[in-house]
Amino acid sequence: MISLIRHSLEKADRVLVITHVDPDGDAIGSLTATGQALKQMGFRFTLVCDDKVPARFSYLPLSSDVLRRPDQRLAYDLLIAVDCGDEERMGYAYADLPDPRPFIINIDHHVTNTRFGDVNIVDPTATSTTEILHGLFQELDIEITRDIAASLLTGLVTDTLGFRTVGVTANTLRTAADLIDAGADLGFVSMQALNLRAYSTMKIWRTGMNKMHFDDGLIWTSITSQERREAGFRSSSSVGLTNLLADVEEAVMAAVLMESEEGSVKVSLRCRPPYDVAEVAVELGGGGHPLAAGCTLPGPLSEAEATLVQSCTAAIERQSQAARAVAAEAVAG
Ligand code: AMP
Ligand code: MN
Ligand code: MN
């Protein structure tokens, strides 16, 4: 695999790196870490995200160089996609690329990844895309500078909610320790990328919690685009509200529906084992991880809500039955 990457890099002249829309810490961490690695190797490159980089990630090196679209005047011969489960996640940054499309290296950790690249480095056991990048950089003899370490640690900290999620292993913590040894500041990164949120985000949480419902193991809420405007909340991402709802002990699955300006509805899903929201997301045209996934549904919001509640309720029923069958077999066996 590493020889394939080396070979594609050797042939490349101008590299485009794209991460997903509604970027999180792993998206911007992976994007800026890859940019710094390419810089160290002497490449010409452009970093792109089809949504604004959230202000809380502005401490990351190269974050102010991230563009919304590739430079149309330049011909890119290599595209590195980071933290994207499928091509659509790159938004117009990818959809608008002229033909011929560049050679694609797809680096990601989503279990639902569609292997859309010419080279696919997809490891669903990795807790973040930056964890995969850390291994790749070492194999490519890239020096893990303090700045690269900050970018990589940002992805680890945000995708594991501060090393608290189910997939965290001793290896994850060893990677984090390596990055701290390289100069990354865990306290700072955690505060900046995980804890800090805008006041408008708290207003959205208030709106969402005022309107929450709980039925058949599912807890959910929805936010209209007007409520978003009134709160001054510009993103269409649920930024933490779904995690908060998912901690309700009587619930097994949580969902937040957020109506976008154009009327489509962004859905964010969470659950606890043995449930699996990636299954629900894929059924509805999205993707993600077993315990954290998402999709975008057509509006109006009320119809999207009905569709989603039905899918989640059916999944809870199906997955409960499957879990009971496994438990019964274990007892019998
Ligand atoms: P979020 O709830 O926005 O934090 O997203 C949770 C997980 O689901 C992340 O790993 C996303 O990459 C994935 N995800 C969210 N929305 C979509 C979508 N529309 N299509 C595919 N994957 C998604
Ligand atoms: Mn991500
Ligand atoms: Mn990720």
Side-chain angles (χ1 to χ4, degrees):
M1 195 57 91
I2 199 69
S3 57
L4 272 176
I5 296 209
R6 261 203 204 98
H7 186 64
S8 347
L9 283 171
E10 271 161 21
K11 289 196 305 187
D13 177 39
R14 202 178 281 278
V15 186
L16 176 62
V17 192
I18 307 183
T19 195
H20 63 78
V21 294
D22 285 330
D24 49 32
D26 193 26
I28 302 302
S30 297
L31 188 66
T32 55
T34 305
Q36 293 171 82
L38 290 169
K39 195 170 181 177
Q40 203 180 103
M41 290 187 283
F43 282 101
R44 296 189 287 185
F45 63 92
T46 310
L47 305 183
V48 177
C49 177
D50 181 8
D51 270 314
K52 216 170 147 249
V53 175
R56 64 184 186 284
F57 300 129
S58 58
Y59 68 93
L60 286 176
L62 297 182
S63 60
S64 55
D65 294 349
V66 176
L67 305 179
R68 296 289 289 269
R69 291 283 189 281
D71 191 329
Q72 295 291 352
R73 297 161 304 178
L74 302 177
Y76 299 97
D77 43 20
L78 175 63
L79 163 61
I80 304 178
V82 287
D83 203 38
C84 296
D86 56 61
E87 288 127 304
E88 286 74 41
R89 292 287 286 158
M90 292 185 271
Y92 290 110
Y94 177 78
D96 280 355
L97 276 182
D99 287 325
R101 298 289 167 108
F103 187 86
I104 302 178
I105 301 179
N106 161 22
I107 307 176
D108 184 42
H109 68 128
H110 291 95
V111 69
T112 56
N113 190 288
T114 57
R115 269 76 177 171
F116 59 87
D118 298 294
V119 175
N120 298 291
I121 302 168
V122 178
D123 178 5
T125 68
T127 52
S128 67
T129 298
T130 61
E131 190 177 339
I132 303 174
L133 288 173
H134 179 252
L136 283 178
F137 290 178
Q138 285 179 322
E139 290 193 72
L140 291 168
D141 290 322
I142 289 160
E143 186 200 345
I144 309 291
T145 61
R146 184 194 175 116
D147 280 352
I148 291 183
S151 289
L152 295 176
L153 189 63
T154 296
L156 276 178
V157 164
T158 53
D159 267 19
T160 63
L161 304 177
F163 306 106
R164 291 182 298 148
T165 54
V166 168
V168 172
T169 61
N171 231 1
T172 319
L173 297 177
R174 271 189 281 271
T175 303
D178 278 353
L179 298 173
I180 293 168
D181 274 343
D185 183 339
L186 177 63
F188 176 77
V189 166
S190 303
M191 180 184 61
Q192 196 70 30
L194 202 58
N195 300 356
L196 287 187
R197 47 183 63 92
Y199 182 52
S200 61
T201 301
M202 294 310 287
K203 290 201 267 185
I204 283 296
W205 285 23
R206 175 172 62 194
T207 305
M209 287 172 78
N210 261 327
K211 296 167 66 187
M212 68 188 169
H213 304 277
F214 176 58
D215 205 4
D216 289 335
L218 176 69
I219 186 160
W220 80 98
T221 192
S222 62
I223 313 273
T224 66
S225 58
Q226 188 180 340
E227 285 164 339
R228 241 162 24 91
R229 270 195 305 277
E230 281 167 7
F233 184 76
R234 268 162 253 294
S235 159
S236 63
S237 131
S238 69
V239 284
L241 179 57
T242 332
N243 290 334
L244 191 72
L245 294 183
D247 285 338
V248 169
E249 65 180 344
E250 293 89 343
V252 298
M253 208 175 267
V256 172
L257 298 101
M258 186 86 72
E259 187 185 35
S260 73
E261 222 49 71
E262 334 76 80
S264 66
V265 179
K266 170 145 179 25
V267 177
S268 170
L269 296 163
R270 298 289 184 272
C271 64
R272 286 191 299 275
Y275 296 92
D276 181 342
V277 282
E279 203 177 293
V280 179
V282 167
E283 190 180 296
L284 298 174
H289 311 284
L291 305 183
C295 61
T296 303
L297 295 175
L301 185 56
S302 56
E303 271 176 39
E305 188 168 333
T307 304
L308 181 78
V309 169
Q310 194 184 29
S311 284
C312 288
T313 310
I316 291 172
E317 175 62 30
R318 194 169 63 234
Q319 293 171 1
S320 304
Q321 265 176 24
R324 277 197 298 272
V326 169
E329 212 164 280
V331 170

